[in-house]
Amino acid sequence: MHLHKYEKIWLVFGLVSLIVFLSIVGVSAFSHGHTPAGGMTTIDPKKVNETAPFDKPGVTQIDDDTYQVAIVAMAFGYTAPDLKVPVGKEIIFKVTSTDVVHSFTIDNTKVNMMVVPGQITTKSYTFDKPGKYLILCNEYCGSGHHYMFTEIEVY
Ligand code: CUA
């Protein structure tokens, strides 16, 4: 009789932990997933280098509180010279790819976007801490995928 009761308790416990586990996995998969496309604009992937703002990649100040950062992703790196942006200001990242699908992921932030050739992916972000942040690709894109990274300095 006792055994039977304990078995039931363990069965319920097992089911409850399974549900808790699944919901944690579900929630974290959702929150760590790729940012849904904010503003998707199309671009000719063969003409990226001559299409604004990618003809002059890098940081552009738009007004007192807003900066735009244009970045081209390609196998295997990011065209993003001298990435330095101020803390506490709105930074609008615009990223596109000239070849295959990459990601634009800034370590320790919520910036994690898929970069698709033919599209401009836009994401606004405000850094709240100065420092150097690693930008990396977490979308497998070929043999050099693991070497695809750069850095942004927040001052
Ligand atoms: Cu680009 Cu992985």
Side-chain angles (χ1 to χ4, degrees):
M1 286 303 264
H2 276 296
L3 262 182
H4 189 69
K5 197 173 168 189
Y6 279 123
E7 272 172 14
K8 262 191 185 168
I9 290 169
W10 281 111
L11 185 67
V12 170
F13 177 77
L15 278 176
V16 169
S17 20
L18 183 69
I19 290 164
V20 168
F21 174 75
L22 285 179
S23 42
I24 289 170
V25 169
V27 165
S28 58
F30 179 73
S31 62
H32 290 270
H34 284 125
T35 316
M40 276 287 192
T41 319
T42 55
I43 182 170
D44 183 344
K46 291 191 189 74
K47 292 189 179 149
V48 165
N49 295 335
E50 48 201 90
T51 309
F54 303 104
D55 52 344
K56 289 188 196 101
V59 183
T60 314
Q61 182 166 7
I62 293 177
D63 61 37
D64 283 355
D65 299 309
T66 322
Y67 289 73
Q68 177 181 277
V69 179
I71 293 170
V72 180
M74 68 196 71
F76 299 98
Y78 300 95
T79 305
D82 207 22
L83 286 184
K84 286 183 189 150
V85 294
V87 75
K89 306 277 182 183
E90 185 187 10
I91 314 297
I92 301 166
F93 291 99
K94 293 200 169 195
V95 192
T96 191
S97 165
T98 53
D99 43 39
V100 296
V101 174
H102 299 280
S103 95
F104 180 83
T105 305
I106 308 179
D107 205 22
N108 289 320
T109 70
K110 287 190 172 141
V111 179
N112 181 22
M113 54 207 219
M114 225 159 111
V115 182
V116 181
Q119 290 177 345
I120 300 171
T121 313
T122 303
K123 170 88 182 168
S124 158
Y125 189 74
T126 304
F127 291 92
D128 56 8
K129 269 191 227 117
K132 286 188 174 169
Y133 291 74
L134 184 66
I135 296 174
L136 56 122
C137 177
N138 69 9
E139 196 72 39
Y140 185 75
C141 53
S143 58
H145 163 70
H146 296 287
Y147 303 103
M148 187 164 171
F149 61 88
T150 187
E151 208 175 50
I152 186 165
E153 189 183 333
V154 179
Y155 59 89

